[in-house]
Amino acid sequence: MTLALTLIGVDFTSAPRPAKPITVALGRLESDTVVLQQLEKLADWPAFESLLARPGPWLGAFDFPFGLPREAVVDLGWPTTWPELVRHCAGMGKTAFRAALDAYRETRPMGKRYVHRVTDLPARSHSPLKLVNPPVGLMFLEGAPRLLAAGLSVPGVHAADPHRLAVEAYPGLLARSITTESYKSDDKRKQTPERRVARVRIVDAICADRSAAGLALEATQTQQAALIDDASGDSLDAVLALLQAAACALAGAPHYGLPPDFDPLEGWIAGA
């Protein structure tokens, strides 16, 4: 069954557009190797929703927070089960959601404004309450409701279609197992030769199975060049998410490599 799975890695944005699309890496497992089949660019929400609707079996790793910190949810009086929380936040809309998080942070002491999920600490990821640089809270607001509406199963969080599975990815976690150097920027002024060298280092490592994923990437020279040449890092991040999807697929049901006791309201980052 694992070998028949399509694997999907998704580098997400809360505002997809032609200049900054959602980037998708598609692949498959062959033993302990992940074969990169193609990269896709999704420039709007209908294209992303069409991806979620593709027939299974597939397992996708998506680079956005699936949940919010339980502490904040309880403090705000919001629903404490995942489907109800997601529906509640989606129903608020972006303006009210942003205002609620802004107001909540103001009630917190300085230095502790941003509550984290349990998984954010080992992953060293941003709090989903953060709305700028990067706007991960808005990524939750745009991404999680679409997962729920598409009828996907989120292992340990939400049971729906068993043939379409979604796990939370964080490409930076995997990249840091290779190098601590910055490897990407959306700012063209910061797309430096040093960052390109870091991307070369990451691509070389994942193709030689020298990352925390424990899997090798099989990619053509043309594909490897595309990962290196994309100075935004979006293509490389999608492939790193693809490797995280593959590791979850190899771990298998029911937990797909996630801790069996994680909080189903908060979710968990694959590999953290």
Side-chain angles (χ1 to χ4, degrees), residues 6-13 21-27 36-44 47-52 54 58-63 223 227 230 234-242:
T6 294
L7 299 173
I8 302 173
V10 176
D11 179 67
F12 194 75
T13 172
I22 294 169
T23 303
V24 179
L26 299 173
L36 176 59
Q37 294 173 295
Q38 65 187 78
L39 291 168
E40 297 183 6
K41 303 287 184 176
L42 311 180
D44 54 33
F48 179 67
E49 291 158 4
S50 178
L51 170 73
L52 299 182
R54 293 182 191 181
W58 56 256
L59 188 153
F62 297 80
D63 180 20
Q223 289 171 330
L227 300 181
D230 181 356
D234 295 347
S235 298
L236 183 51
D237 279 348
V239 167
L240 293 171
L242 179 71

Side-chain angles (χ1 to χ4, degrees), residues 240-263:
L240 293 171
L242 179 71
L243 290 171
Q244 291 177 314
C248 290
L250 278 178
H255 302 300
Y256 294 92
L258 308 180
D261 58 348
F262 75 86
D263 187 334

Side-chain angles (χ1 to χ4, degrees), residues 158-178:
H158 180 66
D161 185 349
H163 301 297
R164 293 177 297 139
L165 306 173
V167 296
E168 183 177 336
Y170 181 36
L173 178 63
L174 196 51
R176 282 199 303 267
S177 73
I178 300 164

